[in-house]
Amino acid sequence: MNGLLPNTNPPYYAVIFTSRHTGADQDEYRATARHMDDLARQQPGYLGINSTTSAPLSETGEWATITVSYWRAEEDVRNWKQVVAHRAAQRRGRETWYARYATQVCCVERHYQFDREGQEAVIV
Amino acid sequence: MNGLLPNTNPPYYAVIFTSRHTGADQDEYRATARHMDDLARQQPGYLGINSTTSAPLSETGEWATITVSYWRAEEDVRNWKQVVAHRAAQRRGRETWYARYATQVCCVERHYQFDREGQEAVIV
């Protein structure tokens, strides 16, 4: 029902990647982002991804893209960060695509879900 | 440099709120979202917020809005969830605005930042 694989229960890991783009080489950026999505999906411990890009909603929300990827364990996060093609994309991002970014590695302690078609909010 | 207050160091808390909208009453939704941003900022332990809304970037990223709020401690997250006006907004969201959503409460264990105008990526 969302980018998180069904039947995933806490604790698990989330990597929040928040970025503001320079606007340079956006075609290359988009192609690489798609490729990184495909590659992430093949990694051990991958549990899903969600991403949105936009003008900010709030006064302080100045960032243009938020991507959250989910992982079974902290070790899976470390391994994905070190994948060679991913490292190359990170470097290219610093050289060209991103004005700035922040990455946060988090342990998800609990989660809630609501689905209009399904049931009430579930508190886990 | 982003929605997170400067000089914030882990551990701290992130609440990832990922939602897909029904499209109903979007003016009311936007006004309420702005009001909730203002209200959150006044709560104890508030450390910032980032939010983006869009069509999905990736095939699996089907969600339309990702909002991440940051908090000093887990207790601050619990207190914000219980604020009366916030509870009313959550209820209204389930009644009208959201087709579905997921909320994840996470402890941020480490973070990295990069700023083109400033310095190299900082690893904390």
Side-chain angles (χ1 to χ4, degrees):
Chain A
M1 71 161 255
N2 64 9
L4 182 67
L5 291 183
N7 304 316
T8 301
N9 292 313
Y12 55 95
Y13 274 75
V15 179
I16 306 169
F17 180 73
T18 317
S19 61
R20 193 178 181 95
H21 297 248
T22 58
D25 294 340
Q26 287 299 286
D27 287 347
E28 183 202 25
Y29 161 74
R30 276 187 291 266
T32 306
R34 275 192 301 270
H35 180 51
M36 288 305 114
D37 276 6
D38 291 341
L39 200 59
R41 231 169 278 156
Q42 299 166 32
Q43 303 308 308
Y46 173 85
L47 294 176
I49 199 164
N50 283 315
S51 188
T52 57
T53 297
S54 75
L57 251 194
S58 82
E59 286 161 41
T60 56
E62 61 171 342
W63 294 82
T65 299
I66 300 177
T67 300
V68 185
S69 60
Y70 298 106
W71 303 87
R72 186 70 269 170
E74 203 261 349
E75 185 188 7
D76 302 321
V77 174
R78 289 192 187 272
N79 288 340
W80 167 232
K81 185 170 163 60
Q82 297 305 327
V83 167
V84 172
H86 188 205
R87 284 175 65 91
Q90 292 167 51
R91 192 167 52 242
R92 192 84 186 100
R94 287 191 293 271
E95 285 167 3
T96 306
W97 305 322
Y98 300 122
R100 47 188 189 251
Y101 65 71
T103 303
Q104 284 143 333
V105 179
C106 321
C107 183
V108 180
E109 298 183 352
R110 62 183 191 277
H111 64 198
Y112 315 78
Q113 296 186 347
F114 166 77
D115 187 337
R116 180 169 300 275
E117 301 301 314
Q119 62 293 318
E120 291 301 298
V122 176
I123 300 180
V124 178
Chain B
M1 69 163 258
N2 65 8
L4 182 67
L5 291 183
N7 304 315
T8 300
N9 291 313
Y12 56 94
Y13 274 75
V15 179
I16 307 169
F17 180 71
T18 317
S19 60
R20 191 177 183 95
H21 297 247
T22 58
D25 294 340
Q26 288 298 286
D27 287 347
E28 183 202 25
Y29 162 74
R30 278 188 289 269
T32 306
R34 275 193 300 272
H35 181 50
M36 288 304 114
D37 277 6
D38 292 341
L39 200 59
R41 230 169 279 156
Q42 299 167 31
Q43 303 307 308
Y46 173 85
L47 294 177
I49 198 163
N50 283 316
S51 188
T52 57
T53 297
S54 73
L57 251 193
S58 80
E59 287 160 40
T60 56
E62 62 170 341
W63 293 82
T65 299
I66 301 178
T67 300
V68 186
S69 60
Y70 298 106
W71 303 87
R72 188 68 272 169
E74 202 261 352
E75 183 189 8
D76 301 321
V77 174
R78 289 191 186 271
N79 288 340
W80 167 231
K81 184 170 161 58
Q82 297 303 328
V83 167
V84 171
H86 188 206
R87 285 177 64 90
Q90 294 167 51
R91 193 166 51 242
R92 192 84 186 100
R94 287 191 292 273
E95 286 168 0
T96 305
W97 306 320
Y98 300 123
R100 46 189 190 249
Y101 65 72
T103 304
Q104 284 144 331
V105 179
C106 320
C107 183
V108 179
E109 298 183 351
R110 63 183 190 278
H111 64 199
Y112 315 79
Q113 297 187 347
F114 166 78
D115 187 337
R116 179 168 301 273
E117 301 301 314
Q119 63 292 321
E120 293 300 297
V122 176
I123 298 180
V124 179

